[in-house]
Amino acid sequence: MMSSFITRRVLSSANSLSAGRCFSQVPQKEASIHENDVPIPKIPSFDFSPPPYTGPSADEIMAKRREYLSPSFFHFYTKPLNLVDGKMQYLFDENGRRYLDAFGGIATVSCGHCHPDVVEAIVSQTQRLQHSTVLYLNNAIADFAEALASKLPGNLKVVFFTNSGTEANELAMMIARLYTGCHDIVSLRNSYHGNAAGTMGATGQRTWKFNIVQSGVHHAMNPDPYRGMFGSDGEKYAKDVHDHVEFGTSGNVAGFISEAIQGVGGIVELAPGYLPAVYKTIKNAGGLCIADEVQAGFARTGSHFWGFEGHGVVPDIVTMAKGIGNGIPLGAVVTTPEIAEVLTRRSYFNTFGGNPVCTAAGHAVLKVIEREKLQENAFKVGSYLKQRLVELKDKHDIIGDVRGKGLMLGVELVTDRELKTPAKAEIMHVMDQMKELGVLIGKGGFHGNVFRITPPLCFTKEDADFVADAMDYTMSKM
């Protein structure tokens, strides 16, 4: 019955809010009590108005996308948004309507949209020198590498800059194979590590894998506390990695790669005790441990600066991107001096990796996170928002699970809690209706039924309430 209702709602695409109007400007009398006694949520006030937009319309842009851009591109929402301005945790469409950004450009906007300190660093460096090459000296790359290394434990201090998380993971896997002299990599089912040849092989979801040669990767059982067969028993899942090494390899491997919290996979936290046990197995097999911090890194989890720190392990290689540059194309691989030495066997080079503009932006991001105490804010606001979402789970049967840490949270929707049947159509409806209320939210998971909440780390308690209230209001009308 719910599915048929959702289908009718999606097909009709009817809503009571007029297009292009800023919800914060709706007269107070319109914010009446719904028949289910859930008030219509109101977007928090914000002292910023963007300049008038004079560019092409959403329809014109869509027409050009269809003709000139890759047909593989897809978009959110029944009627896609044309976003033209951003300020901190808010985005603005072509009509000047304001939206709360609860997705952060896929966990990428860490400090906030157009943070003045990051913008100033980019503009200042651009005005002096946009690009040279690492064949010459420049202080921007060296200063940022030093600052970045200071945030990592142990002897993780040698930095290789890249342009993306995919590039970073490709390089990390190559380093592991060169250092160990082995080819086999152990990854996890449901993981996502990038869309190049090597990282596609490490990715554990068919959604992101083309039918090309992908050799040397073993996908171990995912330690998923919600859907996994062993619940939250991390050591039982870890035995599967041991079995892969024993029965699927020569007994020696190049390494193991995992996210601390699976982002694209639906904000899946690894079962407690899993990583320490797996790291021990990989070390015994002569392999290196790679921590993919592309989404969970840079204070997003709140409790720690890096996701792996929450598991009490120290990896041999750490990869990062997204939040490192607040939207600037930037990634990095950090490892020990001993391991880094393997790249001297040949010439390793990256034309744009570590260019002055991107590294200046990255250094500014690091300073903002520290100065504005964004890690502490992620913990405080994220914990509050998670509690609000847990309360919604008690109220709405469609919510099967609430998980994650800090401002990396997931809400899985199901039509049957016992069977954990993915609510695929329903999540699209809720997502569209929350957009109409002024909340932009992400979606992921293997079945596409998990809300991904990864906002800028400057999110406030009022913003958290607005997200929860918008979700509550929408679900109460279903």
Side-chain angles (χ1 to χ4, degrees), residues 241-286:
V241 173
H242 177 268
D243 290 346
H244 271 281
V245 173
E246 290 292 299
F247 299 105
T249 76
S250 66
N252 293 102
V253 299
F256 169 79
I257 183 170
S258 75
E259 307 155 89
I261 299 177
Q262 293 176 337
V264 174
I267 316 297
V268 176
E269 294 184 82
L270 307 186
Y274 178 75
L275 279 188
V278 169
Y279 274 33
K280 182 178 179 180
T281 293
I282 296 300
K283 290 293 187 182
N284 288 339

Side-chain angles (χ1 to χ4, degrees), residues 149-328:
S150 72
K151 302 297 292 185
L152 287 147
N155 208 26
L156 291 164
K157 58 187 293 186
V158 178
V159 184
F160 296 92
F161 287 111
T162 65
N163 304 293
S164 69
T166 292
E167 277 191 9
N169 284 331
E170 285 274 334
L171 177 57
M173 290 167 63
M174 183 178 77
I175 289 174
R177 284 168 167 155
L178 289 172
Y179 183 79
T180 62
C182 296
H183 185 68
D184 291 287
I185 297 280
V186 180
S187 181
L188 295 177
R189 298 170 196 170
N190 198 56
S191 62
Y192 179 85
H193 297 291
N195 55 12
T199 50
M200 189 180 293
T203 291
Q205 295 187 48
R206 64 176 174 79
T207 306
W208 308 101
K209 295 165 76 74
F210 286 96
N211 188 23
I212 61 173
V213 175
Q214 300 170 35
S215 66
V217 180
H218 305 263
H219 292 94
M221 187 182 297
N222 194 36
D224 181 348
Y226 180 62
R227 289 186 175 272
M229 67 167 57
F230 298 127
S232 296
D233 193 332
E235 293 192 5
K236 286 185 178 179
Y237 293 108
K239 187 179 182 301
D240 188 54
V241 173
H242 177 268
D243 290 346
H244 271 281
V245 173
E246 290 292 299
F247 299 105
T249 76
S250 66
N252 293 102
V253 299
F256 169 79
I257 183 170
S258 75
E259 307 155 89
I261 299 177
Q262 293 176 337
V264 174
I267 316 297
V268 176
E269 294 184 82
L270 307 186
Y274 178 75
L275 279 188
V278 169
Y279 274 33
K280 182 178 179 180
T281 293
I282 296 300
K283 290 293 187 182
N284 288 339
L288 300 182
C289 298
I290 304 169
D292 180 340
E293 292 288 325
V294 171
Q295 293 197 35
F298 287 87
R300 180 160 292 283
T301 62
S303 59
H304 300 85
F305 198 82
W306 307 106
F308 67 79
E309 293 177 301
H311 293 266
V313 296
V314 177
D316 301 293
I317 304 174
V318 182
T319 63
M320 57 198 74
K322 292 189 180 291
I324 191 175
N326 203 51
I328 284 288

Side-chain angles (χ1 to χ4, degrees), residues 337-350:
E338 179 188 7
I339 295 171
E341 192 69 21
V342 298
L343 289 185
T344 64
R345 296 175 188 174
R346 294 291 188 273
S347 294
Y348 172 75
F349 188 74
N350 188 316

